[in-house]
Amino acid sequence: MFGTRTGRMGEGQLDTGPAVTPAADSAEAALALSEARLRRVQRIGLVGGFEIDLESGINHRSGEYMALQGGDAEAAIESHEDWVRRLHPDDREAAERRFLEAVSPTSGITDYAQEYRIVTPDGEIRWISARAEIERAADGRALRMVGAHVDITMLKATEAALERSRAELSDLLATLDLATVMARDIDGTIQFWSRGCERLFGWTADEARGRMARELLGTVFPVPFGEVEATLLREGEWIGDLINHRRDGTPMVLATRKVLRRDAAGAPVAVMESFDDVTALRQAQAALEALNHGLERRIAEEVARREAAQARGAHADRMQALGELAGGMAHDMRNILQVVGSAASMIAEEVDDPSRVLAMVDALRATVERGDAVASRLLAFARRAELSAGPVAPAALLGELRDLLDRTLGRACTCEVAVAPGLPPLLADRRQLEAALVNLAVNARDAMPDGGAILLAAEAETIAAGDAPPCELAPGRYIRLDVIDQGQGMDAATLARVTEPFFTTKPPGEGTGLGLSMAKGFAEQSGGGLAIRSAPGQGTTVSLWFPLAAEDAAGH
C-alpha cells in the first residue's frame, strides 16, 4: 500500500518471502493490480496513506500522501518533526498536542481523528483531515498508527461560503423583519407582518395575519382600487402614495411599493408591499407649494406695482420733456403771433397799396405754416401709441429733431446734426425713438449749465461674429445714433448705475430716473442696444443701435 512494505524488519528492508512459484506470481500480480487501483482511487479522492512506527518514530508516507503535502508523488520515510514543520503556524501547537495526547500510554485511544492546516513548499494553505487506527500493546503502549490524510480544502471553502450565505440570509431576514414590509395573498389577506409594521401601525403580527389589508388599515387610494390592482397584474409593480391609518385611527401618508410574485407557471400568488411614512414630507411639500404660490402671487403684484411705477415715471418724464418743449414752443409761438400782429397792423396802414398787402399776406401765410409745423411736431411727440416699428430715415429724423430742439433747449445750447451720406433706413417705432432722443437731448442740455453744443450723429456699423461690442448686440448691420454733449461727464460709479430704473443725479422733483433705463429698454426691445461713454470733464456720448429695416438688411 505504501510503496515500501515493512513488518518487524529494519528500515527500508524488503521481505522477499519464500521461493517464487507460478501461484505466487499470480498472487503478486493480483496484489500489484489491487494496489494500482487503490492508488488511483486515492489520487482521485485526494487521499494519502501513512503508517507510523510509534516505537521508532519512523513515518512511512505513500506517494499520494506526499503529493497532498505539496511534494513529489513518491513514497517517502519522514520523521515526526517533518510533519510538524508543515503544520500551519496557527494550528501547529494544538495539532501536535492532540497527536501526542492520542498516542500517550494512558489515553487508551484507538481511533484518531483531527483537522488542521498545512503549508506546502510553494506557500499554499491546505486543510487536511487525518483519520487513523492506533495499535496498542497489552500494557497500553501505542505501537503503530495506520491511517489516511484527506485534502478537505474545497470542503472547507464550501463550508465557509455556506456559513457566509447563512449569515447574509440571517441578516437579510433580520433586516426584512425590521423594515416596514407586508406580504398578502392576491385577495388581500395578510400572510406576513414585519416588526416594522408592528411599530408603524400598532397591530402585532398575530393580530394582523389573516386580516384583509385594506380593511385593517382603512386604506384610501389615489385612484380606484381596481385600477391599482390592474396595474399590479399588468406591470408586476405599483408605486404611489396611500393614506393608511394606525391602530389609534391616526392617518398617515405612506409611499408604497407593491410587487407581484408569480409561481413557476406564471400565476400570481402573492403581493409584497413596503411602506415609508412620508406624512411630514408631504405636509412640508404642501406648505412649500402654498408658499411658492403665495410668493408667485406677491411677485406678480410687485412686478405689476413696479410696472405701474415705471409707467407713472415714464409719464412724468414725458410730461417733463413736454414741459421743456412747451416752454420753448410758447416763446416761439409768441414770436409767431408778434409777426402776425405786426403784419396785420401794416396791412391796415397799407390798405391802399395792394402789392404791399399781398407781400404781407405771403409773410403771414409762411408764418402760419411755421406755427402749424411747430404745433404738429409737438402733438406728434405728445401722442401716446403702442410700439409700432417701421422704416425710419436717419437724416430726416435728426433734421426734424434739430428744428424742434433749436426752439426748445434755450439760446445757450445749439443743436447740430452729422449724418453719414447714403444711410439706409433703420427699423424702430418713430414716435418712441423721437421721445427717447428728445429726453437724451434734454439730459445733455442739463449737463451743460453754461451752455454748449449738442451733436446728433448717425452712421452705419457692422457687428461681426467674434467682435466685442460695447453692449449686447448680435452679429449684423446696424444704424448707430449718437447724442453727444460737452458737459460735466460722469465718474465710473455714476456711469455704472446710470441706466438703473429710478436712479438719477438730479435734485428731488426734477427727474424720475427712468429716461435712460427706458431708452435702453426701447433700444433692446427694437433689436439693438444702448451704451454710454463718459468721464469727468470730458462730456458724455449716448449711443443707440437699431437694426436696418428688412429690405435694407437683406441688401436690396
Side-chain angles (χ1 to χ4, degrees):
M1 174 179 177
F2 298 105
T4 301
R5 301 180 60 195
T6 64
R8 297 282 184 178
M9 299 171 13
E11 179 179 328
Q13 181 179 352
L14 294 178
D15 182 4
T16 59
V20 177
T21 65
D25 287 342
S26 177
E28 287 290 340
L31 179 59
L33 179 61
S34 177
E35 289 183 347
R37 289 173 177 170
L38 179 59
R39 284 193 297 271
R40 183 179 183 186
V41 170
Q42 289 176 344
R43 286 194 302 273
I44 295 173
L46 300 178
V47 178
F50 66 92
E51 179 178 335
I52 304 173
D53 186 337
L54 296 172
E55 292 186 317
S56 66
I58 296 175
N59 291 255
H60 296 272
R61 315 297 194 189
S62 72
E64 291 74 23
Y65 178 100
M66 296 306 296
L68 290 182
Q69 308 297 310
D72 295 332
E74 298 291 339
I77 296 175
E78 293 186 324
S79 67
H80 174 75
E81 287 72 22
D82 293 328
W83 171 70
V84 172
R85 278 192 295 271
R86 282 194 299 270
L87 292 172
H88 191 282
D90 294 343
D91 297 350
R92 185 171 295 154
E93 181 181 352
E96 185 180 19
R97 182 176 63 252
R98 183 177 178 85
F99 171 79
L100 295 176
E101 289 174 352
V103 299
S104 67
T106 59
S107 70
I109 294 174
T110 56
D111 291 325
Y112 165 80
Q114 74 162 320
E115 295 177 355
Y116 47 80
R117 291 171 293 176
I118 63 168
V119 181
T120 67
D122 60 2
E124 181 185 358
I125 298 175
R126 296 180 181 176
W127 274 96
I128 299 296
S129 173
R131 300 187 67 85
E133 291 183 354
I134 302 174
E135 298 178 7
R136 294 182 179 274
D139 59 1
R141 286 181 298 107
L143 302 176
R144 186 169 58 172
M145 176 183 284
V146 179
H149 274 191
V150 180
D151 187 343
I152 59 170
T153 305
M154 293 182 62
L155 176 61
K156 285 293 185 179
T158 302
E159 289 177 349
L162 181 59
E163 185 60 30
R164 287 194 299 271
S165 297
R166 286 173 178 169
E168 290 171 359
L169 179 59
S170 178
D171 290 343
L172 178 61
L173 292 175
T175 302
L176 184 64
D177 200 32
L178 291 174
T180 311
V181 177
M182 173 188 74
R184 63 173 176 85
D185 292 341
I186 291 300
D187 64 1
T189 303
I190 298 172
Q191 298 297 329
F192 175 78
W193 187 260
S194 71
R195 293 182 183 178
C197 283
E198 290 182 346
R199 288 192 300 273
L200 179 63
F201 295 109
W203 287 281
T204 66
D206 290 339
E207 292 171 331
R209 282 194 296 266
R211 300 281 298 275
M212 189 69 66
R214 61 181 181 275
E215 294 177 358
L216 177 68
L217 302 176
T219 305
V220 179
F221 294 90
V223 296
F225 174 70
E227 293 185 17
V228 174
E229 292 295 285
T231 300
L232 185 61
L233 291 172
R234 182 178 63 255
E235 300 180 5
E237 184 180 54
W238 183 90
I239 299 175
D241 283 358
L242 299 178
I243 297 177
N244 285 313
H245 295 77
R246 292 189 176 93
R247 186 169 189 162
D248 61 6
T250 304
M252 298 176 294
V253 180
L254 301 181
T256 305
R257 182 184 183 191
K258 300 173 179 282
V259 178
L260 183 68
R261 289 188 57 200
R262 299 179 182 273
D263 60 17
V269 293
V271 177
M272 294 288 295
E273 298 190 18
S274 63
F275 306 100
D276 187 13
D277 187 357
V278 294
T279 306
L281 176 61
R282 296 296 183 261
Q283 290 173 347
Q285 289 174 338
L288 182 59
E289 289 178 1
L291 179 62
N292 287 338
H293 178 73
L295 183 60
E296 291 173 358
R297 177 179 54 79
R298 289 195 294 273
I299 289 174
E301 292 174 354
E302 179 64 18
V303 169
R305 187 186 68 78
R306 288 181 177 270
E307 288 178 347
Q310 288 182 347
R312 290 193 298 271
H315 180 69
D317 269 3
R318 199 176 190 85
M319 290 302 100
Q320 181 180 355
L322 282 173
E324 298 284 347
L325 291 175
M329 291 292 183
H331 179 75
D332 206 22
M333 292 300 291
R334 184 179 291 112
N335 292 335
I336 292 172
L337 292 175
Q338 286 178 353
V339 172
V340 172
S342 298
S345 297
M346 293 176 67
I347 289 173
E349 293 175 359
E350 303 291 341
V351 68
D352 295 330
D353 189 346
S355 60
R356 287 183 63 85
V357 170
L358 288 175
M360 294 297 175
V361 169
D362 289 339
L364 283 174
R365 185 179 293 111
T367 302
V368 169
E369 289 175 355
R370 178 184 173 193
D372 181 66
V374 171
S376 296
R377 287 175 187 146
L378 181 62
L379 288 173
F381 175 76
R383 187 178 299 118
R384 300 178 64 181
E386 296 295 328
L387 190 64
S388 178
V392 179
L397 171 70
L398 298 187
E400 293 176 5
L401 283 178
R402 177 183 55 193
D403 294 341
L404 179 64
L405 294 172
D406 275 342
R407 298 180 177 87
T408 59
L409 295 180
R411 294 182 178 180
C413 292
T414 61
C415 186
E416 302 174 3
V417 172
V419 179
L423 285 185
L426 58 86
L427 182 65
D429 185 303
R430 183 185 179 94
R431 291 191 180 89
Q432 294 286 349
L433 180 54
E434 288 177 346
L437 292 173
V438 168
N439 274 323
L440 294 177
V442 170
N443 287 344
R445 182 205 62 188
D446 293 342
M448 300 185 296
D450 298 328
I454 299 173
L455 177 63
L456 304 179
E459 65 177 83
E461 185 171 347
T462 299
I463 305 297
D467 288 351
C471 60
E472 293 186 6
L473 292 172
R477 299 172 61 201
Y478 296 89
I479 298 295
R480 190 186 78 236
L481 305 178
D482 296 325
V483 179
I484 305 171
D485 66 53
Q486 301 170 332
Q488 301 167 348
M490 293 177 282
D491 58 24
T494 303
L495 188 61
R497 299 190 57 195
V498 72
T499 58
E500 294 179 8
F502 305 109
F503 176 80
T504 180
T505 58
K506 295 179 180 180
E510 296 187 15
T512 63
L514 287 171
L516 281 172
S517 66
M518 293 182 62
K520 181 175 184 291
F522 164 64
E524 291 174 349
Q525 185 181 358
S526 301
L530 177 145
I532 304 174
R533 301 190 307 275
S534 184
Q538 298 182 18
T540 300
T541 299
V542 181
S543 299
L544 297 164
W545 284 265
F546 293 93
L548 300 186
E551 59 182 23
D552 294 283
H556 298 299

